[in-house]
Amino acid sequence: MSREQEHEISRCIFREANDGFFIIRPTDLRVLDVNPAAQRLTGLKKKILLELTLADLVDRAPDDDLATLVRACQSTAHFVSAAGYFLKAANGIRRAVNVSVSRIHTDPEPLGLMIVRDISRLREAEQELTNRETQLRVLVEQIPAILWSTDSDLRVTSSLGAGLAALGLRPNELVGVHLFDYLQTSDPNFPPIAACHSALRGELARFE
């Protein structure tokens, strides 16, 4: 591959990548160049972005600073690739992103390259899943019954529900206990045991 082809590929990657590319000057952390994806992610035009610094664009939780990103821009010995950052976009939007920062050796002086990937939809999905798990856990803990699960050997893997209190048990206190031992039986046809075997075969089972 010729040098011209290599340069063209590099230009295409910078111009057409889905991730935001920010070229940073290590001495003052000023933005020197951005690709189109960076403009889309921030909602800002290139002219405005070139007036900003690293601190104007990225932040973390209120108690965290950007020292790790700064070191990655200024030293080859440091490289950062992590989530937990937010890209400050137009209209006060804070977009959850993964940030990768490294020092690139360019002439006449080295520069910093910050690559930003939008993970806001992933974070929203994770938050929705967490909310649903919380709702389900509250429901399970309050219903006047006992919900329990076992592995294929009939050892308890979970035991939840407000009904445990009537038996003097705490949630998941039975984890690891074999049903034969807890029910004090060796009869495989004992209704709870038989029901578990049926469930493990994928069959609906009921017992009283």
Side-chain angles (χ1 to χ4, degrees):
M1 183 180 296
S2 68
R3 184 175 297 274
E4 289 75 15
Q5 288 176 312
E6 292 177 351
H7 288 168
E8 179 59 24
I9 290 174
S10 298
R11 285 192 294 270
C12 287
I13 292 173
F14 184 82
R15 184 174 60 248
E16 300 175 17
N18 291 322
D19 296 335
F21 283 42
F22 298 81
I23 305 298
I24 308 292
R25 184 163 56 206
T27 53
D28 58 5
L29 305 180
R30 190 71 173 262
V31 177
L32 299 181
D33 198 6
V34 295
N35 70 343
Q39 298 175 64
R40 291 195 299 269
L41 288 174
T42 60
L44 299 173
K45 293 186 178 299
K46 183 174 181 177
K47 180 179 178 180
I48 297 175
L49 288 170
L50 299 187
E51 297 175 353
L52 304 179
T53 66
L54 179 65
D56 295 324
L57 290 167
V58 180
D59 67 4
R60 299 197 74 175
D63 296 333
D64 292 339
D65 59 32
L66 302 177
T68 303
L69 298 185
V70 173
R71 287 196 300 272
C73 282
Q74 298 175 342
S75 172
T76 307
H78 293 275
F79 171 78
V80 177
S81 180
Y85 290 92
F86 294 91
L87 182 67
K88 292 183 279 190
N91 301 322
I93 296 173
R94 294 173 76 246
R95 193 185 303 277
V97 294
N98 179 284
V99 174
S100 174
V101 178
S102 60
R103 185 176 174 88
I104 55 177
H105 297 280
T106 53
D107 291 325
E109 60 181 0
L111 298 172
L113 171 63
M114 179 172 72
I115 301 176
V116 173
R117 173 166 295 178
D118 183 6
I119 58 171
S120 55
R121 290 186 179 179
L122 174 62
R123 288 291 177 264
E124 290 171 1
E126 290 175 344
Q127 185 60 51
E128 179 65 22
L129 179 60
T130 298
N131 293 340
R132 291 184 179 182
E133 289 177 343
T134 300
Q135 294 170 358
L136 179 60
R137 185 171 61 253
V138 171
L139 176 64
V140 168
E141 290 173 350
Q142 293 181 351
I143 59 175
I146 300 174
L147 298 179
W148 45 276
S149 62
T150 73
D151 60 16
S152 58
D153 294 325
L154 299 190
R155 292 190 181 278
V156 178
T157 56
S158 67
S159 57
L160 301 167
L164 289 168
L167 301 178
L169 296 171
R170 298 185 303 276
N172 290 320
E173 184 177 348
L174 293 177
V175 170
V177 176
H178 202 288
L179 279 187
F180 283 103
D181 295 333
Y182 178 70
L183 298 174
Q184 298 181 350
T185 183
S186 59
D187 182 5
N189 295 316
F190 188 57
I193 301 295
C196 284
H197 282 304
S198 295
L200 288 170
R201 292 193 299 268
E203 303 169 0
L204 179 63
R206 295 186 176 91
F207 66 91
E208 297 182 2

